[in-house]
Amino acid sequence: MKKKTLILAGLVIGLLLPSCSNNSNDMMSSVIEKGLKRSIEQSEFMAVSLMDQPDRLSKTTEKDGTLVTSDTHWWCSGFFRNFMDAL
């Protein structure tokens, strides 16, 4: 009896696992795509908002959404400088 139960459980698991992993991969791909799309939109918005200030780079935002900038001497400025050059 135990052997039949184990075989049945193995078959059920074997049939269910492939369908679960496919759905999970599709969901993860969707989340990644959504996040990348949003980050591109926000980066482009930031770049456009600083077009008239070539010596300024995005640093952070205040709670009210106000953009705080810095010059190239800020320790993280290299990331944004390279991003802006790529545009």
Side-chain angles (χ1 to χ4, degrees), residues 51-67:
M51 283 285 217
D52 61 339
Q53 302 175 53
D55 60 332
R56 304 304 294 171
L57 301 165
S58 173
K59 184 174 181 179
T60 189
T61 55
E62 298 290 347
K63 288 183 180 181
D64 66 358
T66 305
L67 182 64

Side-chain angles (χ1 to χ4, degrees), residues 68-84:
V68 178
T69 62
S70 69
D71 62 13
T72 58
H73 294 100
W74 180 51
W75 70 277
C76 288
S77 64
F79 170 79
F80 294 109
R81 185 172 54 244
N82 292 334
F83 174 78
M84 301 288 272

Side-chain angles (χ1 to χ4, degrees), residues 4-35:
K4 287 182 182 180
T5 304
L6 287 174
I7 291 172
L8 181 60
L11 285 173
V12 169
I13 291 171
L15 292 172
L16 291 178
L17 281 179
S19 64
C20 292
S21 67
N22 242 357
N23 190 25
S24 177
N25 287 341
D26 290 344
M27 287 174 51
M28 183 57 70
S29 292
S30 175
V31 168
I32 291 169
E33 281 299 315
K34 185 177 178 181

